[in-house]
Amino acid sequence: MSRLMINGGKPLKGDLSVHGAKNAVLPILAASILCDDGVSVIHNCPDLRDVATTIEILKYLGVSVTRTGHTLTVDARSRLGNHIPKHLMQQLRSSIIFMGAIVARKHKAKISLPGGCELGPRPIDLHIKALQDLGCKIKEKKNCILIRSKKMKCGTIHLAFPSVGATENAMLTSCLSPGITIVENAAKEPEIIDLACFLNAMGACICGAGTNRIEIHGVSHLHAADYTIMPDRIAAITYLCCAATTGGDITLHNVISEHMEPALSLLAQCGCLVEAKEHTIHIAAPSCLTMPPAIVTEPYPGFPTDAQSLFLALLTTANGIGHIRENIFSGRFKVATELRKMGAAIALNNNEATITGVPGLHGATVKATDLRGGAALVIAALGAQGTTEIENLHYIDRGYDNLTTNLTRLGADIHRI
Ligand code: EPZ
């Protein structure tokens, strides 16, 4: 298995363009099967393991996909399958989004439980209930989920929690159903807006995406679309934290600053100079950070759970005592064990972490335990004195396009072996 070797302590300097959003392109690729008479073109697609797996699922369903650089061409005109095998479903969480897309076109589907990072329980009850509210009959057998719908119906779906995936599944399932479907307590993440914009570019009629109430007016047919994926806000925050931990000075391009307000405000409270324009962000960091007020993860527009591990790593060497409360995924503090191997002082109590800032971290051999936990170890290693070896790179490869090349270009001493 490949590993990363990082010699820390070098301030990052320079400019970087941020890749397209993983959590936008994955549901949009699932949505692309809803067009059966044209070829969609999707630009700014990052080259990630999760995108490669999603393309494998599309091809298994009979869809042809070609990649030219960061542009994918998707042709779903041939007969579409309705079954995704377990070995593909289990490679990522967002495979569950195909359930709604397949049902919308085929009115039946056979899938198994999705995979994804182990961040604690990752049930799909809200997805199941949403499809049942739309008239689907769902049978769960050992490891297999059968969905049937003789007649799709519209309806009102009230999500008990603003689940990103369940909101996406509700939108995909209902966009070709007659009538008006309402999703209440919908997730408001920017990736939901991107999915709605793609579906509307295909001829769907969806309004309210980005608010907690989404209206889907079912249409009879969707055509091909030419679409550009939004920038990845979590990748952007990752690079900002890499600069902040090394006392660096970088400028990010191709970002949407308003998607990252809580993180940008926290970086400023840590003592960084943060200059955010609409599509660029400049950060200049001090040699030692100040501990910010307590961080609490919440659904968008609150502080994103996906940035929690990144800040846990960043704050290990800030001045003072800091607190982070994780309200979304109970298993998201696993990386603390690895950070302690590098000298971090982190105390955990249920869903709360208390960080006592130390003068500096030292290199160690550590293991990535999930995607954002792996990125957190990169941040810690870049700021540490000495050499850090990070194992289980496959986690990081799921969500970061060209991470090693990009960091090298910014002056980091990092090698993939
Ligand atoms: C999406 O996961 C993202 N993944 C996650 O990013 C992100 O952390 C998460 O949204 C929250 O923002 C993709 O978009 C591919 P949820 P998702 O449904 O849809 C509970 C990353 O690192 N829940 O909003 O799985 C769930 O247990 C990944 O890029 C139910 O109880 O997240 C969690 O506590 C990690 N029942 C909460 O809701 C359900 O049926 C939020 O989950 C579904 C979810």
Side-chain angles (χ1 to χ4, degrees):
M1 300 286 267
S2 47
R3 303 189 303 277
L4 273 183
M5 299 298 282
I6 298 176
N7 288 313
K10 292 157 185 63
L12 300 191
K13 304 252 184 239
D15 291 60
L16 179 70
S17 186
V18 173
H19 63 68
K22 167 179 85 80
N23 292 347
V25 68
L26 299 179
I28 283 172
L29 286 174
S32 65
I33 69 173
L34 295 177
C35 161
D36 59 4
D37 67 355
V39 179
S40 291
V41 181
I42 304 169
H43 305 281
N44 200 28
C45 276
D47 189 1
L48 308 171
R49 217 157 67 85
D50 276 8
V51 172
T53 305
T54 302
I55 291 171
E56 257 188 86
I57 292 176
L58 288 169
K59 290 181 176 174
Y60 187 91
L61 291 171
V63 177
S64 75
V65 185
T66 52
R67 177 188 274 274
T68 312
H70 286 101
T71 296
L72 292 184
T73 305
V74 183
D75 180 350
R77 287 176 292 188
S78 58
R79 218 182 82 74
L80 192 74
N82 62 38
H83 161 55
I84 300 176
K86 192 172 152 190
H87 76 275
L88 288 177
M89 282 296 295
Q90 289 194 331
Q91 289 190 38
L92 74 172
R93 171 71 181 181
S94 63
S95 55
I96 191 66
I97 305 300
F98 277 94
M99 173 167 72
I102 295 171
V103 167
R105 186 162 156 194
K106 304 283 292 181
H107 297 182
K108 60 181 178 181
K110 181 182 174 191
I111 60 170
S112 63
L113 285 174
C117 287
E118 287 97 49
L119 305 174
R122 301 197 76 180
I124 60 165
D125 57 311
L126 300 178
H127 297 250
I128 299 293
K129 185 171 178 312
L131 268 71
Q132 287 171 332
D133 290 346
L134 296 174
C136 295
K137 300 277 177 274
I138 299 179
K139 268 198 207 124
E140 293 185 56
K141 294 187 172 156
K142 59 175 181 13
N143 269 346
C144 173
I145 303 170
L146 297 169
I147 305 108
R148 291 275 178 286
S149 167
K150 285 203 178 54
K151 190 175 174 338
M152 297 301 288
K153 67 180 181 119
C154 60
T156 296
I157 297 164
H158 180 83
L159 294 176
F161 181 90
S163 154
V164 171
T167 301
E168 291 165 347
N169 249 329
M171 291 160 69
L172 290 168
T173 310
S174 58
C175 59
L176 284 170
S177 308
I180 299 175
T181 293
I182 309 285
V183 183
E184 287 180 340
N185 198 29
K188 299 188 275 191
E189 274 70 4
E191 292 77 14
I192 301 285
I193 300 173
D194 226 29
L195 175 61
C197 290
F198 176 71
L199 286 166
N200 287 343
M202 292 172 85
C205 181
I206 299 173
C207 46
T211 74
N212 61 5
R213 186 178 188 278
I214 299 177
E215 262 188 37
I216 302 105
H217 298 242
V219 296
S220 56
H221 168 259
L222 292 176
H223 53 71
D226 186 293
Y227 193 74
T228 298
I229 301 290
M230 62 174 254
D232 193 311
R233 58 193 171 106
I234 307 301
I237 296 170
T238 305
Y239 287 111
L240 292 172
C241 289
C242 290
T245 198
T246 58
D249 183 325
I250 68 168
T251 300
L252 296 184
H253 301 272
N254 296 334
V255 293
I256 300 177
S257 301
E258 73 171 299
H259 289 169
M260 297 176 262
E261 278 163 7
L264 297 181
S265 152
L266 274 168
L267 286 167
Q269 293 176 82
C270 286
C272 296
L273 167 66
V274 178
E275 294 168 314
K277 294 186 183 127
E278 196 180 354
H279 295 300
T280 59
I281 300 173
H282 168 240
I283 185 171
S287 54
C288 184
L289 299 173
T290 308
M291 204 60 90
I295 296 175
V296 180
T297 66
E298 294 167 328
Y300 194 88
F303 181 86
T305 175
D306 290 350
Q308 183 262 91
S309 303
L310 310 178
F311 274 77
L312 182 70
L314 178 67
L315 300 183
T316 53
T317 56
N319 242 334
I321 294 179
H323 298 277
I324 297 181
R325 185 168 348 120
E326 172 58 56
N327 288 327
I328 311 287
F329 289 113
S330 58
R332 210 149 205 182
F333 281 127
K334 276 192 292 197
V335 68
T337 306
E338 302 303 306
L339 291 170
R340 288 184 190 122
K341 291 177 187 171
M342 300 175 71
I346 302 170
L348 297 179
N349 177 15
N350 294 326
N351 68 333
E352 299 216 346
T354 300
I355 309 144
T356 304
V358 295
L361 298 184
H362 55 75
T365 298
V366 289
K367 280 189 172 53
T369 51
D370 60 77
L371 164 54
R372 306 304 173 182
L377 293 174
V378 171
I379 292 166
L382 288 169
Q385 285 308 317
T387 302
T388 299
E389 188 173 320
I390 302 176
E391 298 171 352
N392 293 349
L393 274 202
H394 59 282
Y395 283 115
I396 299 176
D397 291 342
R398 290 189 49 197
Y400 291 92
D401 186 352
N402 266 325
L403 179 72
T404 308
T405 311
N406 289 339
L407 290 173
T408 301
R409 204 175 289 149
L410 293 172
D413 180 353
I414 179 172
H415 299 87
R416 190 182 181 108
I417 51 175

